[in-house]
């Protein structure tokens, strides 16, 4: 049976748009089905973290994104400052930027690379066989159509129809109700960093977007209202005065909403030819600002793998690594965000206050603070590896300088969307050694001293590493690593 597309993505949120851009770039096309008719103006995620910016750097769009937002180097975690400025990255900060701006940038990229984004197309069901997936889609006029793809990514958010159609549960618990969110102007704003506090009344935090508006998120422990209950500026002003001592002269909000958060994680991210990514796979409160970032990192992990398998350059087993790598990352995110939320919700002099004391230590004791900064920035994520693997395997590749003709640093070189084999500066690898993989692997030399050979995946994680030597055994090991990660060599 013929396919309408190699990959169909359900949902044009940040997760779906990043995946679609990667797949269109690698395969020449990708279809996105989006239920909404109109552009998203949702103001939800207010922060893009360090690791997401590194992933966007590997796609050449991080600098544009930084230009559109406000870098925040110090995060106020319920009264305790967490310094992000010493993170070992080009992006040692959290970028404050409204979610719709992030989505606009990703959409422009996806379309430019050839992705087709179909609005008003709601996925209502699916079935799969050995060769593909049939999606039942309702169009804007209410008519039903079937679209067939080799693979489907369910990036259709927390209420995912794809997840339901797969028959997967979404176990977890309710975490917070009646949290108010307000993007507003202020006549007397706090200084340019995240301000946060928690007390007997609840919690509140303020984040500047850098465009004259501020994000205020607040929770009143005495009010437990459904999301549908209207919210007005006076309610959030009053709560902010009680928690932070001032309402900062809030006026003319452009966004006001009330929301609830659950903490849930799907038991598996892959069922046959269908993958779940983003909020469809994991959800938690906004504490820590990790939700959208984790979703985009899911997409970055999955896109190149699907493209490699579709092009016949990797075995199907590579797709299983998506669940093996990203589900534990999702689990960690739900855990960290939950701890932060409960520390924020804790009343003084209760067992919960102990959590806040732990949090205080996590921002003040240098090794703990480093760990916390790495967790919130996303750069602490690494992937499981076999016990005999080199210690660098599975880790995030740092943005090292290169002595390459085209690129001066690693994340610039990753824009070729191939694996990078990074050699010591003076290593003499004959071109014939990697020639059979030339369409999949680019050989680049490190710009500084190193005695290691490192194979870096398109998503910036280390696939394989070894101590360099110019022996024949080295050539055999390189061949074995390339065959594992990139499939058999092409005929030369
Ligand atoms: C108040 C609030 C503040 C937040 N702050 C942060 C933060 O600071 N940092 C952070 O990282 N995250 C934050 N988040 C979380 C973040 O907004 C989500 O994690 C993120 O939007 C998830 O992206 P996604 O693409 O996976 O899903 P979504 O953004 O939900 O996108 C899913 C898309 O799928 C479409 N869709 C749904 N069903 C169908 C269907 N059946 N067929 C076709 N299309 C469909 C939807 O219309 C939507 O466009 C916050 C969330 C909230 C609510």
């Amino acid at each position: 049976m013929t396919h309408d597309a190699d990959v169909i993505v359900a949902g044009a949120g940040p997760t779906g748009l990043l995946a679609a851009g990667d797949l269109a770039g690698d395969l020449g096309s990708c279809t996105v089905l989006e239920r909404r008719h109109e552009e998203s103006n949702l103001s939800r995620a207010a922060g893009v973290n360090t690791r997401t910016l590194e992933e966007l750097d590997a796609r050449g769009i991080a600098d544009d994104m930084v230009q559109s937002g406000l870098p925040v180097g110090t995060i106020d975690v319920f009264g305790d400052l967490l310094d992000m400025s010493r993170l070992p990255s080009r992006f040692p900060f959290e970028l404050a930027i409204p979610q719709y701006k992030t989505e606009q940038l990703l959409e422009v990229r996806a379309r430019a690379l050839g992705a087709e984004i179909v609005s008003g197309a709601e996925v209502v069901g699916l079935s799969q066989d050995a060769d593909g997936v049939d999606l039942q889609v309702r169009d804007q006029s209410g008519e039903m159509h079937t679209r067939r793809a080799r693979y489907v990514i369910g990036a259709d958010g927390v209420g995912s129809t794809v997840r339901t159609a797969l028959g997967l549960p979404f176990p977890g618990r309710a975490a917070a109700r009646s949290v108010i969110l307000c993007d507003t102007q202020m006549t007397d704003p706090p200084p340019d960093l995240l301000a946060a506090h928690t007390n007997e009344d609840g919690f509140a935090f303020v984040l500047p977007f850098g465009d004259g508006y501020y994000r205020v998120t607040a929770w009143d422990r005495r009010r437990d209202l459904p999301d549908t209950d209207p919210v007005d500026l006076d309610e959030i002003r009053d709560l902010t005065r009680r928690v932070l001592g001032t309402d900062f002269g809030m006026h003319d909000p452009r966004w006001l909403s009330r929301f609830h958060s659950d903490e849930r994680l799907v038991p598996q991210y892959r069922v046959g030819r269908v993958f779940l990514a983003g909020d469809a796979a994991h959800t938690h409160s906004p504490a820590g600002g990790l939700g959208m970032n984790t979703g985009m990192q899911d997409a970055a992990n999955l896109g190149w793998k699907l493209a490699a398998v579709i092009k016949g350059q990797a075995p199907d087993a590579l797709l299983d690594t998506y669940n093996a790598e990203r589900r534990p990352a999702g689990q960690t995110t739900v855990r960290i965000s939950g701890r932060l939320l409960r520390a924020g919700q804790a009343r003084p002099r209760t067992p919960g206050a102990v959590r806040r004391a732990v949090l205080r230590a996590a921002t003040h004791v240098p090794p703990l603070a480093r760990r916390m900064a790495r967790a919130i920035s996303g750069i602490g994520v690494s992937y499981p590896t076999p016990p005999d693997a080199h210690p660098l395997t599975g880790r995030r590749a740092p943005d090292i300088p290169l002595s390459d003709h085209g690129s001066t640093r690693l994340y610039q070189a990753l824009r070729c969307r191939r694996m990078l084999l990074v050699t010591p500066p003076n290593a003499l690898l004959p071109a014939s050694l990697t020639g059979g993989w030339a369409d999949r692997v680019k050989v680049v030399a490190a710009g500084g001293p190193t005695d290691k050979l490192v194979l870096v995946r398109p998503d910036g994680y280390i696939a394989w590493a070894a101590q360099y030597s110019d022996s024949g055994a080295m050539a055999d090991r390189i061949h074995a690593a390339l065959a594992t990660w990139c499939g058999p060599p092409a005929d030369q």
Side-chain angles (χ1 to χ4, degrees):
M1 227 194 282
T2 57
H3 298 94
D4 299 303
D6 284 325
V7 182
I8 295 182
V9 179
T15 305
L17 290 170
L18 185 65
D22 285 2
L23 285 156
D26 291 347
L27 298 171
S29 67
C30 177
T31 300
V32 184
L33 303 178
E34 168 54 53
R35 182 171 63 185
R36 268 184 288 109
H37 309 238
E38 69 298 331
E39 251 192 34
S40 167
N41 66 344
L42 282 184
S43 187
R44 297 195 291 173
V48 175
N49 72 10
T50 301
R51 186 58 184 152
T52 303
L53 287 169
E54 289 181 342
E55 290 289 1
L56 298 179
D57 194 20
R59 291 155 178 81
I61 55 172
D63 292 327
D64 284 349
M65 181 162 282
V66 172
Q67 288 296 315
S68 315
L70 179 73
V72 180
T74 312
I75 298 185
D76 189 330
V77 189
F78 299 114
D80 295 310
L81 298 183
L82 184 64
D83 182 11
M84 312 289 274
S85 67
R86 279 189 236 144
L87 288 170
S89 171
R90 268 191 90 208
F91 309 101
F93 48 79
E94 180 91 8
L95 185 73
I97 181 169
Q99 182 163 331
Y100 67 87
K101 277 199 192 171
T102 302
E103 290 179 11
Q104 276 164 7
L105 213 98
L106 295 173
E107 182 172 338
V108 167
R109 167 181 179 258
R111 285 190 194 277
L113 289 168
E116 179 202 17
I117 301 173
V118 187
S119 303
E122 180 182 7
V123 174
V124 295
L126 69 80
S127 55
Q128 56 176 319
D129 54 45
D131 181 49
V133 187
D134 289 314
L135 285 175
Q136 283 79 54
V137 184
R138 183 163 38 224
D139 72 16
Q140 230 161 311
S141 62
E143 252 184 72
M144 297 295 296
H145 306 267
T146 299
R147 291 213 188 209
R148 186 168 172 82
R150 283 181 211 284
Y151 295 96
V152 163
I153 301 177
D156 50 344
V158 68
S160 174
T161 303
V162 173
R163 186 184 65 233
T164 307
L166 291 171
L168 289 176
F170 201 27
R173 60 172 172 171
R177 252 167 67 102
S178 194
V179 183
I180 305 170
L181 193 148
C182 172
D183 292 355
T184 181
Q185 299 179 57
M186 294 179 167
T187 50
D188 187 17
D192 266 4
L193 50 82
L194 286 145
H197 191 57
T198 177
N199 67 9
E200 285 291 347
D201 290 295
F203 65 67
F205 52 92
V206 181
L207 163 74
F209 281 122
D211 61 355
Y213 282 83
Y214 293 76
R215 156 68 53 88
V216 185
T217 309
W219 173 71
D220 186 337
R221 68 173 82 247
R222 292 184 196 95
R223 285 168 85 90
D224 185 17
L225 302 173
D227 295 358
T228 46
D229 235 62
V231 49
D232 65 25
L233 192 60
D234 285 341
E235 182 181 350
I236 195 156
R237 263 190 187 144
D238 170 59
L239 181 54
T240 313
R241 272 196 298 269
R242 284 186 280 128
V243 177
L244 290 170
T246 167
D247 65 13
F248 305 108
M250 290 180 214
H251 64 92
D252 295 309
R254 66 180 173 197
W255 180 266
L256 267 167
S257 64
R258 192 187 304 279
F259 67 95
H260 75 281
S261 292
D262 289 354
E263 289 169 5
R264 299 183 186 280
L265 183 70
V266 80
Q268 59 194 90
Y269 280 30
R270 176 186 186 185
V271 177
R273 293 176 166 271
V274 184
F275 300 83
L276 292 171
D279 277 17
H282 44 77
T283 186
H284 49 81
S285 86
L290 290 166
M292 179 181 75
N293 288 293
T294 306
M296 286 167 72
Q297 288 158 35
D298 291 343
N301 184 289
L302 181 57
W304 69 273
K305 293 176 180 173
L306 269 175
V309 171
I310 289 167
K311 287 196 276 186
Q313 295 172 345
D316 180 84
L318 181 65
L319 297 177
D320 286 332
T321 66
Y322 172 63
N323 179 70
E325 294 177 346
R326 291 309 299 171
R327 190 170 180 282
Q331 205 163 19
T332 304
T333 299
V334 173
R335 197 181 60 237
I336 294 171
S337 173
R339 279 189 191 154
L340 287 170
L341 176 73
R342 279 178 277 290
Q345 288 176 322
R347 288 173 195 275
R349 294 182 298 283
T350 64
V354 174
R355 282 193 205 105
R356 221 170 40 241
V358 172
L359 194 63
R360 178 141 232 275
T363 54
H364 283 71
V365 180
L368 294 180
R370 265 197 303 277
R371 238 171 68 196
M372 175 91 148
R374 288 172 68 82
I376 288 187
S377 67
I379 68 168
V381 172
S382 58
Y383 295 142
T385 55
D388 56 345
H390 188 282
L392 289 177
T393 314
R395 299 243 191 114
R396 151 191 172 271
D399 192 17
I400 58 164
L402 300 178
S403 57
D404 180 55
H405 301 304
S407 332
T408 56
R409 54 188 183 82
L410 191 92
Y411 280 71
Q412 212 175 14
L414 281 171
R415 293 174 193 169
C416 70
R417 297 284 301 161
R418 278 181 277 162
M419 293 258 187
L420 299 180
L421 182 62
V422 187
T423 70
N426 301 316
L428 295 171
L429 292 187
S432 59
L433 191 65
T434 54
W437 289 275
D439 55 339
R440 285 157 271 171
V441 180
K442 186 176 177 195
V443 182
V444 292
T450 172
D451 55 0
K452 294 182 189 66
L453 264 181
V454 176
L455 184 64
V456 181
R457 314 179 338 180
D459 60 357
Y461 287 85
I462 295 174
W464 171 86
Q467 195 74 21
Y468 176 74
S469 77
D470 53 8
S471 66
M474 186 86 259
D476 291 344
R477 291 183 67 194
I478 294 172
H479 278 168
L482 293 180
T484 302
W485 282 95
C486 312
D491 294 336
Q492 292 181 71

